[in-house]
Amino acid sequence: MFASTLLFALGASASSSIYSGSGFGTYYYDISDVDACGTSFSSQNLGDVECSQVTALSLDTINSNYLVAMNHTQLVDNMETYCGKRVVVTINGVKSDLPLFIGDGCERCAEGSADSDTWNAEGAPGLDFSYTVLNELSGGEACDDGHVSIEWEILDETLYEFDTGASDSSTSQGPVSAAVTASASATASTFTA
Ligand SMILES: *[C@@H]1O[C@H](CO)[C@@H](O)[C@H](O)[C@H]1NC(C)=O
């Protein structure tokens, strides 16, 4: 019993960290809750994500609220490194085990200083989420504040295959695990990949 628990623990933490940071989480789309916080995400949901270079994929087509946008400048220069990789988000000391993955670029997350701890809508470090995920991670604070203090770590673990256009990149795009496209309100315990 102890041995298998230990092996699982080792396996679960085997993915190495590629990048970690702290800043602010915001929301910009939602696949399941299209009208939330007094706004409509219907046009955002039609936007093509940055990680898909060869065949355009819109947020609606990817159909997952677990897709996350990161610093656009950092992403465009390192698409192979970050696209589709798992991101672990910590809010108020609680680490999420949702199958969150990098898929898009965030302009606000690219402006201003990477170590700023002051919220600024024009530029502040952080990540951009679906409304449902940010609301779930923040315990219902997403609409009220619009931005939530977060810490995050990107792991070298692919949850979604993107064709980033690099010669060795995958040509068939899609989720590595079905949990990635399950409803974002499903509990994290269903994710086992
Ligand atoms: C975004 O990424 C670029 C390139 O890595 C970096 O120079 C910049 O400081 C980052 N900005 C923020 C706000 O993290």
Side-chain angles (χ1 to χ4, degrees), residues 135-171:
N135 204 43
E136 195 166 313
L137 293 181
S138 65
E141 299 292 308
C143 286
D144 292 350
D145 295 341
H147 57 88
V148 175
S149 291
I150 63 168
E151 290 168 59
W152 76 95
E153 184 169 26
I154 303 172
L155 300 181
D156 194 8
E157 178 187 347
T158 301
L159 298 189
Y160 198 101
E161 293 285 355
F162 283 105
D163 194 335
T164 59
S167 54
D168 62 344
S169 91
S170 158
T171 46

Side-chain angles (χ1 to χ4, degrees), residues 71 73-74 109-114 124-125:
N71 180 337
T73 311
Q74 190 180 356
C109 313
E111 301 300 320
S113 160

Side-chain angles (χ1 to χ4, degrees), residues 6 11 13 17 25 35 42-43 46 68 71 80 88 90 93 96 99-100 106 108 115 120 136 151-152 166 175:
L6 182 63
S13 58
S17 176
D35 298 297
S42 53
S43 58
L46 297 175
V68 175
N71 180 337
E80 284 301 286
V88 176
T90 302
S96 157
L100 304 172
C106 163
R108 179 269 302 173
D115 27 77
N120 180 345
E136 195 166 313
E151 290 168 59
W152 76 95

